[in-house]
Amino acid sequence: MNKPELLAPAGDLEKLKMAIIYGADAVYIGGEEFGLRKASKNFTLEDIEKGIEFAHDRDRKVYVTLNIIPHNEDLVGLDEYVLELEKIGVDGVIVADPGVFSVIRRVAPNMPIHLSTQASATNYETIKFWYDLGIRRIVVARELSLEEIKEIKESLPEDLEIEAFVHGAMCISYSGRCLLSNYMVGRDANRGECAHPCRWKYSLMEEKRPGEYFPIYENEKGTFIFNSKDLCMIENIPELIEAGVCSFKIEGRVKSQYYVATVIRSYRKAIDEYFRLKEDYVYKEEWLEEIKKASYRDFTTGFYFKKPTGEDQVYGSSSYIREYDFVGLVLDYDEKTEIATIEQRNRMFVGDEIEVFGPNKEFFVQKIEDMWNENGEEIDVAPHPQQIIKMKMKKPVENWDIIRRARKD
């Protein structure tokens, strides 16, 4: 049994680096065109090349999304773009549309193509159709159960790879094919511009009583009738592996560096622990507790074990739960003086209790006793975004270690 790939989202070059440092085997990114996440910063071709170099130097992979459902004008320039991606060495592209697939096959016949979840592959005959055309990895529809995935894997050749989402935001619409955003605000979700109207609060208005709004209650807590809980399968690593999932995909290209590092770190630990212990593997609650130190909604296992019910929705709010703030990123550490150079990410004060963690260490807790600015002047607070400060550390730290703090009321 091969260890599954841990596949991380990366909305920009810094997130790509963070994902790889914290344990991702591969990242998926979007360029400035042809992808479904225009809300993230995304990558220029120059940044893609830099990201590929960073990843390949560490024996990691980079996949690029080309998964829009295009109109005619969206195809302009696709040929040239694909050739540029091939030239700079991407490890694969993610595609939903047959026309985009055809263009790639014509201009870059050796380019590995992964079928996006947007293509709604829900059965082995559909997947065999794509397999016969040359696709060797399928990102299965999120509406599949583990039993269905297992049946697909058993019905098709061994070199077919199954990739599946295991963590992150869930879309209320079938495989992400949604017209609600386009209808309500003119932003086409299938061309990368989703406004997420599924997270909005709704009321009811009767036709002959314009202006009279009545709350919609599916229970007594609220009116967010489309708002799904987040997917989380950290407790079910063995079941995913046994079903034949070979790539564990984390959602979140618009999420922060801190989110990516925190979630990837926990899944990395769980996967490695499973392959280290096999039949003696035991899930550790601390992995989920760490994930909850990044922003999250309440969690669900989606369609993997049953069809979702009202228990898999969040009716009271569309907000994330945020119990910790990302306050600093370690840039350097002097072992002799035990002083770290830190890039500030949120305000922190002398006297704050902080937690420090890294990709290869458990977190430790300390109080901020002293801080200095770039000029060596002692300061009580670091208020400026990305301000460079120095701080005495209780234990040794390394570049890329993260400092977080419980949120203050």
Side-chain angles (χ1 to χ4, degrees), residues 179-189 191 193-195 197 200:
L179 299 176
L180 192 59
S181 176
N182 204 354
Y183 177 77
M184 297 186 77
V185 294
R187 288 170 53 179
D188 192 342
R191 297 162 86 182
E193 297 179 330
C194 185
W200 298 351

Side-chain angles (χ1 to χ4, degrees), residues 76-133:
V76 175
L78 178 59
D79 302 52
E80 295 84 355
Y81 188 67
V82 170
L83 287 172
E84 287 294 333
L85 293 179
E86 183 180 48
K87 179 181 176 182
I88 61 180
V90 299
D91 297 288
V93 292
I94 305 168
V95 168
D97 179 72
V100 175
F101 171 83
S102 296
V103 170
I104 296 166
R105 269 287 175 263
R106 183 174 68 248
V107 303
N110 295 319
M111 174 78 76
I113 301 176
H114 303 171
L115 188 71
S116 171
T117 190
Q118 300 292 125
S120 307
T122 57
N123 64 79
Y124 53 75
E125 285 294 345
T126 295
I127 293 172
K128 184 177 185 302
F129 168 84
W130 287 107
Y131 180 89
D132 290 343
L133 289 174

Side-chain angles (χ1 to χ4, degrees), residues 211-235:
E212 292 187 41
Y213 296 97
F214 303 93
I216 303 170
Y217 293 113
E218 289 205 7
N219 66 15
E220 70 280 2
K221 293 182 180 178
T223 62
F224 295 86
I225 56 174
F226 301 127
N227 191 34
S228 172
K229 292 181 179 180
D230 282 355
L231 179 65
C232 179
M233 290 290 285
I234 190 73
E235 298 180 47

Side-chain angles (χ1 to χ4, degrees), residues 316-379:
S317 170
S318 63
S319 300
Y320 282 99
I321 300 167
R322 284 184 59 189
E323 297 174 345
Y324 281 77
D325 284 326
F326 173 25
V327 295
L329 180 67
V330 175
L331 303 180
D332 195 13
Y333 177 69
D334 187 322
E335 291 184 5
K336 292 181 180 178
T337 63
E338 299 178 337
I339 291 175
T341 303
I342 296 162
E343 183 180 83
Q344 183 261 37
R345 293 305 178 91
N346 271 294
R347 284 202 308 170
M348 49 184 157
F349 298 80
V350 170
D352 281 351
E353 186 173 85
I354 56 174
E355 294 181 4
V356 185
F357 71 97
N360 302 308
K361 62 168 67 72
E362 298 303 318
F363 75 86
F364 66 88
V365 180
Q366 74 169 61
K367 278 194 174 182
I368 301 177
E369 296 180 351
D370 300 287
M371 285 193 297
W372 300 269
N373 64 20
E374 280 188 284
N375 298 322
E377 300 164 335
E378 196 164 344
I379 55 176

